Amino acid sequence: MKRKITIAIAAALMTVACASSEPMNQTGASYSSPSQTEPRTLTRVTGTPDSEQAIRMTQIMANPDWIARSPENAYWSWDGRTVLFDRKREGSPQRDLFIRGLTDGGNGERVALADLHQHAYRDGIKNSDRNLKAYVFERNVFVLDRETGAVTQITRDSSNKSELQFLTDGRLSYRSGNDFYAVNLRNGFTELLVSLQTQDAPVAVQAPTDILAQEEIELIEWTQVQRRNRQERFDDQQRMHAENPSVAPAPIFLGRNKQIAEVSLSPAGDRMVVAVQDPQTWRGDSDVMPRYVTETGRIENQDVRRRVADAKPVHHTLYLIDLNSGEKTELSYETLPGWDEDVLKSVREENYAARGETYVSERKPRAINVMQRWSAPEGNIVWNDDGSAVAIMLRAWDNKDRWIATIDLERGRLQNQDRLHDYAWINRDFNAFNWLPNSNKIWFLSEGSNYSHIYVRDLDAQSTRAVTSGRYLVDHVTLNQAGDTFYFQANKEHPGIFEIYRVPVAGGDVERLTYLEGITQYRLSPDESQLLLTHSSALLPPELYVQDNRANASVTRLTETVSDEFLALPWPEPELIGVPSSHVEDPIWSRVYVPDDFDPDRAEGYPAVVFIHGAGYLQNAHAGWSQYFREFMFHSKLTQQGYVVLDLDFRGSAGYGRDWRTAVYRQMGTPEVEDLVDVVAWMGEHRNVDVERVGTYGGSYGGFLTFMALFKEPGLFKAGAALRPVTDWAHYNTGYTSNILNLPQDDMIAYRRSSPIYFAEGLEDALLISAPMVDANVFFQDSVRLVQRLIELEKENFETAIFPVEDHGFVEPSSWLDQYRRIYKLFEDNLK
């Protein structure tokens, strides 16, 4: 079925003004437009491209070392005179550590293996005087003197160390297994603070197990003596732990068949917060994945994740432990607002009604757990400096609530300080929080206003105020040493431009510090006088720069890792355009590529390709270097072949706030396909595209959306390639899927509405399915089941390519090349 697209496009776009300061950019890209509503064209300012040189598929799909081995994970040296960064080893996945002086030339020198321990303090922790920094290298603890640069090794063994923390008395604590130790740095004396045991507390004598045992104990005197002796030895040992300071403290027993999920020691060393859960065993409800190409020449099975349909609730039991007395107090969730609310009431009612049943709602405790650490980068259980107060971030397992609570240490009670509720789901990003120094206040990030912003909670006044506000995202917050200024990354001037800003903790004007006009990350120097910047543009991969810590200061480039070979190729300059949506007020931000000789008045419209990014919640229409760099180069080749190409950030993408993110709740594949319809229509009206000759492709979530577009809007795309695609969300993982679609047992309506396998009868256009066979993320079975469905529907115009050794993220250049040759042929055969 062919269809002519005639969509009315709204005339107005967002009119958020950009900064009036003139952008200063010595690096990779600048933008020509002063208004967010106009196209922004990325301009190359380095390199000498050869406009006649053809972009070859074998080159762009080769090992990416030929492009650049960019600096990664950059950080300052202890004295701020040099910077350190990881760099990929040529021809190998290994990374080497490099060091470069601020005034040196070149890309730095590789740090010798024998010296790595002296520089491994990137994520170290400082003491209260800020003159010492402790860190872990190869499982062992080291301390750096930040005044002299001297490094002292504290441990040398093979056990893992973590949870480093300076205590208020100057000792350094660390965790090994479930034991916590403290080291006196003056004399090296190490003592056990607490040993956590996941078993029941031992008893000297067991109670009789049956009537025979009871009679035996009462009848035989020898048995009574043995029991009495054991009890005396046990009691002496218990008193020894309590009364003799030379003996390690008695263990804390958390119960049999329990797993420690989270733990945090007070800086005073006197208390601890512990979260335990029932072991989440994979055996029995996990899956296996066969590997056909193996070193043994035999089929080998690999254990892989469970599916969302098999998910079990994760609930943490919280304990406050007094390390002096060994007393353990369970912390109830009953003080949290909504702790027993039926937040899925309307969803369950709808699903019950669809089955002809009636749902009866009731209030009952929800599964609640401590927020994952990677979701809360400042820590998920944070103490104030002297250990007199502690805050904890909690999340409901049904994904609808996030709480920040403090703990009443005297009464052993949780006190709610902030509840973030979302009818859809709470973001796993933007969850940083911590104490403000020397105060009874907490700062935190929240999407409560639609966009992530900084808030301060005054616990004494029981009031919360916003420090930042507006239609932009705040992330990667750093509080300065004085505790009076927040530094952060934000897309304040444009959704696709991320710069560095600062704002007083007390509130006031937000000050823009960088004007690099791409994607910029930062680290404050040790004395806070400079910024170490990692910056990229759409045309150049990340490089390192340094800038004085003031607005619009001059920028010095530190590294130049991009190859001359890459710079010499004629990469097209994509426009960054807000395509008007026919469904919502905000535009659909997109990157648009056109041929060098593009003629908007050409009689014959251009063929076009729409790229759909993966991950769902990801931003690709931005002004920085894309993680889809191979796709960027492929799009460049397509423009040389006369195609117009568009990458879009459909609804559900990152970078545009909560409402844009949650538009896909319970309907994945519906708003996104509406956005695809809009961008195709826009290309027809504004880029002279023949809308009867448009193709699409994408991987992972992009593969899923390729299916949904072809199945639900036949004729929108003449051809589509779905790479490593999801076909049935009930078979995907829990953490991602349950956020958006709830659980299958609660909301099968959402799964049927959102899974391509239920719409396969709509296929009419050419389809390529590209499936890696050892994909531990999206199982190969997803593609297999859909192929069987297409066979049963007697569909003809589809083909499948399998890749026997590839996981979800392709690695081998030969696999990349084969896959994209097939995609290119699909478009050439069907769009020209």
Side-chain angles (χ1 to χ4, degrees), residues 335-337 402-407 413-420 457 462:
T335 56
L336 301 179
R402 183 199 78 178
W403 296 272
I404 298 174
T406 51
I407 301 175
R413 289 170 55 88
L414 290 175
Q415 297 176 310
N416 180 66
Q417 301 299 337
D418 182 77
R419 179 191 184 186
L420 180 63
R457 172 73 171 173
Q462 288 292 290

Side-chain angles (χ1 to χ4, degrees), residues 132-179:
L132 298 178
K133 193 170 188 179
Y135 58 95
V136 174
F137 173 76
E138 293 293 317
R139 301 183 177 185
N140 284 289
V141 180
F142 294 78
V143 173
L144 166 73
D145 186 322
R146 299 181 70 230
E147 295 176 350
T148 67
V151 172
T152 302
Q153 185 167 354
I154 304 301
T155 67
R156 191 184 183 200
D157 57 48
S158 59
S159 64
N160 287 323
K161 315 292 189 307
S162 61
E163 316 284 344
L164 292 186
Q165 183 175 5
F166 281 102
L167 303 181
T168 54
D169 61 9
R171 290 181 298 166
L172 175 64
S173 71
Y174 65 87
R175 176 182 180 181
S176 181
N178 289 326
D179 296 333

Side-chain angles (χ1 to χ4, degrees), residues 314-348:
V314 177
H315 179 79
H316 291 171
T317 301
L318 282 181
Y319 293 106
L320 175 64
I321 299 175
D322 186 323
L323 298 187
N324 294 320
S325 66
E327 181 182 359
K328 182 177 63 177
T329 303
E330 183 175 346
L331 301 173
S332 171
Y333 294 121
E334 294 183 13
T335 56
L336 301 179
W339 72 281
D340 63 347
E341 185 178 338
D342 186 2
V343 293
L344 287 170
K345 179 177 180 292
S346 62
V347 168
R348 290 168 173 149

Side-chain angles (χ1 to χ4, degrees), residues 568-701:
L569 288 171
W571 308 115
E573 300 174 357
E575 301 170 284
L576 194 54
I577 295 174
V579 175
S581 168
S582 60
H583 297 275
V584 294
E585 292 183 2
D586 292 332
I588 308 158
W589 285 99
S590 306
R591 280 184 172 187
V592 181
Y593 307 73
V594 297
D596 284 342
D597 60 353
F598 175 73
D599 180 0
D601 300 317
R602 194 177 80 172
E604 179 187 10
Y606 289 88
V609 170
V610 174
F611 171 65
I612 309 173
H613 70 68
Y617 186 62
L618 178 146
Q619 186 175 12
N620 194 46
H622 54 65
W625 183 250
S626 174
Q627 70 180 66
Y628 294 102
F629 59 89
R630 289 185 182 88
E631 288 76 3
F632 158 72
M633 294 186 291
F634 179 57
H635 300 164
S636 301
K637 176 178 176 60
L638 288 177
T639 63
Q640 284 193 337
Q641 304 302 313
Y643 290 86
V644 172
V645 183
L646 182 145
D647 307 347
L648 78 158
D649 281 342
F650 45 81
R651 275 173 285 169
S653 298
Y656 308 95
R658 177 200 60 211
D659 295 347
W660 192 264
R661 169 177 63 85
T662 60
V664 299
Y665 178 57
R666 301 189 67 216
Q667 55 172 1
M668 294 164 76
T670 295
E672 305 99 303
V673 171
E674 292 173 348
D675 294 342
L676 288 168
V677 172
D678 280 347
V679 297
V680 170
W682 180 88
M683 286 193 295
E685 294 187 27
H686 297 278
R687 289 300 180 271
N688 196 18
V689 164
D690 179 355
V691 295
E692 298 295 332
R693 294 192 295 144
V694 181
T696 191
Y697 81 105
S700 193
Y701 199 94

Side-chain angles (χ1 to χ4, degrees), residues 257-298:
N257 295 326
K258 297 295 181 182
Q259 182 180 46
I260 297 175
E262 296 291 346
V263 59
S264 182
L265 173 68
S266 163
D270 59 345
R271 292 185 175 95
M272 176 175 277
V273 177
V274 181
V276 300
Q277 64 184 13
D278 293 332
Q280 298 296 301
T281 58
W282 295 79
R283 192 180 305 277
D285 56 11
S286 63
D287 279 284
V288 294
M289 178 175 66
R291 290 180 171 268
Y292 292 94
V293 179
T294 65
E295 293 182 13
T296 65
R298 294 169 174 82

